[in-house]
């Protein structure tokens, strides 16, 4: 390959929400990043629109919720079509409706303000790895000027290019699992009048419909026992309308289809999320039925976990094994969600033979501990990464939301445990109210890698679950209320060697 057109530290392929979230995290962490996108413009269809509590927390931790505004609540949740109260201990309990085009607009604006470059209208066609770089080739989408070849050289490439990932295919990632055996057809239709249906079961299938803004109705239908469509691209409107009529008896054939889509219960996960200098995130790493809005949120959480680690790697500040911890943490988290979704798909799309199972499951959901467990899983707030034996119970879990009084050292302060993470650095929070050895222990990492917040809990707020805690940039607890040597070990593990004085 001759001299590249673009030289960068990280090339992200795919400018969907996951790729843009990752680009912002990388740029916030000080990495030079380029995003390559096949599309030339924004989305024109609905796609994913549900944000769960953990994703809202991540947006708060980056200061993006003020720009987003308060999105409308997404209504009651469900597990496989059975109503589920999604109340959790998050300040963003429940689910929130944000069109994907708005999520992408928000994240692209954030990433580009931080310095990320987004190159649209180019399709990845080749990847070649060298000892210290990856060389990518992309072809421009056909246009008036004809196709043009773009060559990019990067230290790392991350595939965020969806379930049919070109990065995954070119890099040879194994993607085991199973193909779809059941399918849900989906369409946004104007000029139809049908009643709203919430997981309405009929003798022949499942029907869902809801009238949205602008008079557009979204319909979804599954016909029990019907074969999965094999036609390329989205289903025809005739197929959707015929299925809807057979299931419900209603005729929507006179409506105007605005968007057509189908999704099945295929289930696949990459065996590795990293192969040398190439990594996967989002649907490129795991393919699942987008039931309950979990797929998008799972991918955004991948990006939050990977971004700060890869940025540290390219800056040269990462300790041994930091980048590999992306796979060891996110692969099990993804597997757990995929198992959860597989169970939901069976409950949702199973025929009459699963009625007894659904009935039993409905009874179980009335048990508070069962409800809380499943709500935490769907909301993403129960993710807990592995911790050393004997560590504080918060280590590995997400940081609790805690409002602070003023910083006792600066008379200012970040306002909350979430706001303390806005800079994308590690944070040592000390609530002791007195000079503490833990602050001195963190000094060698206060070179742009770790901030120290000395604060008091806001009067009348929730009681803190720790006196001192080390927070990772992704909002998970790395150490809490342990010994100073344990704190220093956690600092080295997550933020690299101590700076020389």
């Amino acid at each position: 390959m001759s001299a590249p057109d673009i030289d960068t530290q990280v090339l992200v392929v795919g400018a969907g929400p996951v790729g843009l979230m990752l680009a912002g995290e990388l740029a916030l962490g000080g990495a030079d990043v380029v995003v390559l996108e096949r599309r030339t413009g924004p989305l024109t269809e609905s796609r994913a629109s549900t944000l769960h509590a953990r994703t809202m927390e991540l947006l708060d931790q980056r200061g993006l919720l003020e720009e987003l505004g308060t999105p409308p609540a997404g209504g009651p949740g469900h597990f496989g079509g059975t109503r589920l109260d999604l109340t959790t201990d998050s300040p963003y309990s429940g689910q929130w409706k944000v069109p994907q085009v708005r999520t992408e607009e928000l994240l692209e604006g954030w990433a580009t303000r931080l310095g990320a470059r987004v190159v649209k209208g180019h399709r990845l066609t080749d990847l070649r790895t060298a000892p210290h770089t990856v060389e990518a080739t992309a072809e421009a989408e056909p246009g008036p000027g004809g196709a043009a070849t773009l060559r990019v050289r990067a230290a790392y490439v991350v595939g965020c290019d969806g379930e049919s990932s070109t990065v995954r295919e070119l890099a040879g990632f194994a993607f085991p699992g199973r193909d779809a055996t059941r399918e849900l057809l989906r369409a946004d239709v104007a000029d139809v009048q049908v009643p709203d249906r919430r997981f309405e079961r009929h003798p022949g299938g499942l029907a869902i419909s809801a009238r949205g803004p602008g008079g557009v109705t979204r319909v979804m239908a599954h016909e029990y026992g019907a074969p999965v469509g094999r036609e390329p691209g989205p289903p025809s409107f005739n197929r959707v309308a015929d299925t809807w009529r057979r299931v419900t008896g209603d005729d929507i054939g006179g409506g105007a289809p605005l968007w057509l889509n189908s999704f099945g219960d295929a289930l696949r996960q990459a065996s590795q999320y990293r192969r040398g200098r190439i990594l996967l995130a989002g649907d490129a790493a795991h393919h699942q039925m987008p039931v309950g809005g979990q797929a998008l949120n799972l991918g955004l959480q991948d990006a939050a976990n990977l971004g700060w680690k890869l940025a540290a790697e390219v800056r040269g500040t990462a300790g041994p094994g930091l980048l590999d911890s992306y796979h060891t943490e996110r692969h099990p988290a993804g597997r757990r969600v995929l198992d959860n979704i597989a169970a939901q798909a069976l409950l949702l799309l199973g025929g009459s033979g699963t009625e007894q199972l659904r009935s039993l499951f409905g009874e179980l959901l009335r048990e508070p501990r069962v409800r809380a467990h499943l709500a935490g899983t769907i909301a993403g707030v129960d993710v807990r990464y592995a911790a050393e034996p004997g560590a504080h119970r918060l280590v590995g879990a997400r940081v609790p939301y805690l409002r602070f009084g003023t910083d006792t050292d600066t008379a200012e302060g970040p306002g909350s445990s979430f706001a303390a993470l806005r800079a994308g650095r590690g944070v040592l929070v000390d609530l002791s109210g007195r000079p503490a050895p833990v602050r001195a222990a963190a000094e060698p990492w206060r070179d742009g890698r770790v901030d120290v917040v000395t604060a008091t809990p806001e009067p009348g707020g929730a009681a803190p679950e720790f006196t001192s805690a080390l927070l990772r940039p992704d909002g998970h607890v790395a150490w809490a209320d342990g010994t100073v040597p344990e704190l220093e070990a956690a600092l080295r593990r997550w933020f690299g060697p101590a700076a020389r004085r």
Side-chain angles (χ1 to χ4, degrees):
M1 179 181 275
S2 57
D5 299 288
I6 297 176
D7 230 325
T8 187
Q9 290 177 315
V10 182
L11 172 65
V12 175
V13 181
V18 176
L20 293 169
M21 179 81 174
L22 178 61
E25 292 290 321
L26 286 163
L28 186 65
D32 184 70
V33 56
V34 170
V35 183
L36 190 68
E37 170 55 46
R38 182 172 184 170
R39 287 180 287 142
T40 57
L43 284 172
T44 57
E45 65 268 8
S46 304
R47 295 197 182 180
S49 61
T50 298
L51 300 183
H52 287 305
R54 181 56 184 152
T55 298
M56 294 289 284
E57 291 180 356
L58 292 172
L59 295 178
D60 187 358
Q61 289 167 13
R62 294 300 181 254
L64 294 171
L65 286 189
E66 184 175 343
E67 182 179 348
L68 180 64
T70 303
H78 73 93
F79 189 94
T82 300
R83 189 184 182 104
L84 175 65
D85 176 4
L86 292 177
T87 300
T88 66
D89 65 349
S90 172
Y92 306 106
S93 190
Q95 56 184 352
W96 307 87
K97 302 303 288 186
V98 181
Q100 183 170 328
V101 64
R102 177 65 184 116
T103 302
E104 291 187 5
E105 178 185 57
L106 174 75
L107 294 174
E108 183 172 352
W110 174 60
T112 54
R113 287 194 300 271
L114 291 170
R117 294 171 284 170
V118 180
V119 179
K120 297 185 177 181
H122 285 79
R123 174 175 54 89
L124 181 72
T125 57
D126 190 42
L127 285 176
R128 297 181 184 274
T129 57
H132 303 292
T133 58
V134 182
E135 297 176 337
T137 303
E139 301 295 337
E141 290 297 298
T149 300
L150 179 68
R151 295 161 299 178
V152 184
R153 181 170 59 205
Y156 289 89
V157 171
V158 187
C160 300
D161 49 344
E163 61 189 49
S164 300
S165 170
T166 301
V167 172
R168 187 184 66 231
E169 180 180 350
L170 291 175
F173 283 83
F175 200 47
R178 59 173 172 78
D179 293 331
T181 58
R182 301 180 181 91
E183 183 180 39
L184 195 65
L185 304 178
R186 177 167 58 175
D188 287 348
V189 188
D191 304 325
V192 294
Q193 296 290 333
V194 297
D196 283 0
R197 293 177 167 94
R198 180 173 171 82
F199 304 109
E200 191 174 275
R201 305 191 75 83
H202 294 260
L206 175 76
I208 306 164
S209 57
R211 193 171 181 83
V216 175
T217 299
R218 171 163 291 184
V219 299
M220 291 186 275
H222 168 70
E223 187 174 9
Y224 300 144
V228 175
R230 301 300 179 189
E231 69 267 30
S236 68
F237 184 53
N238 284 340
R239 183 172 170 231
V240 175
D242 288 346
T243 300
W244 184 261
R245 177 180 48 78
R246 288 194 297 270
V247 171
T248 68
D250 291 344
D251 183 9
I252 61 170
L258 305 178
W259 178 56
L260 297 160
N261 176 255
S262 66
F263 53 87
D265 61 348
L267 204 70
R268 294 186 178 276
Q269 185 180 28
S271 298
Q272 302 165 277
Y273 282 13
R274 178 191 179 193
R275 294 194 69 190
R277 294 185 172 273
I278 303 177
L279 303 100
L280 302 175
D283 286 351
H286 38 76
H287 179 197
Q288 60 285 307
M289 187 176 180
V291 60
Q294 287 177 267
L296 169 63
N297 292 271
L298 179 63
L300 291 172
Q301 292 156 36
D302 288 344
N305 184 285
L306 175 59
W308 66 279
K309 296 174 181 178
L310 185 52
E313 186 73 24
V314 299
R315 289 199 325 265
T317 61
L322 179 66
L323 189 54
D324 285 332
S325 73
Y326 168 62
H327 170 85
T328 58
E329 291 186 337
R330 291 307 299 169
H331 193 275
R335 183 72 256 167
R336 185 164 178 257
V337 172
L338 264 61
D339 290 344
N340 173 289
I341 289 174
Q344 290 198 64
L346 178 61
L347 290 167
L348 187 65
L349 304 182
S352 59
T354 58
E355 293 297 339
Q356 293 85 354
L357 179 61
R358 278 192 293 274
S359 177
L360 175 61
F361 203 83
E363 292 181 23
L364 290 173
L365 285 183
R366 290 194 286 273
E367 293 292 328
R369 290 181 62 184
V370 174
R371 185 214 63 79
H373 174 82
L374 292 176
T377 301
I378 290 175
V381 299
D382 70 341
V383 174
R384 180 182 295 270
Y385 301 132
E388 294 294 325
H392 190 282
R393 63 183 181 81
L394 285 178
V395 175
R398 80 193 211 288
V399 58
Y401 181 76
L402 182 66
R403 291 205 58 81
F404 298 149
T406 57
D407 188 303
T408 56
D409 286 350
T410 67
E412 297 177 355
S416 73
S417 54
F418 288 1
L421 293 159
R422 297 278 162 85
R425 295 188 284 268
V427 179
L428 178 65
V429 178
D430 181 16
L431 306 178
S432 67
R434 59 186 184 277
V438 295
R439 301 185 211 172
E443 281 300 320
W445 286 268
R446 295 187 69 176
D447 56 359
R449 290 177 286 172
V450 175
D451 296 331
V452 173
V453 171
T454 55
T456 57
E458 185 178 67
E465 300 179 57
F466 58 83
T467 301
S468 300
L470 177 64
L471 313 183
R472 300 175 1 171
D474 58 356
H476 282 259
V477 179
W479 169 90
D481 290 347
T483 66
V484 168
E486 289 169 343
L487 170 60
E488 291 171 336
L491 286 161
R492 286 191 296 270
R493 178 184 179 188
W494 297 113
F495 302 103
R500 294 181 179 178
R501 297 291 183 178

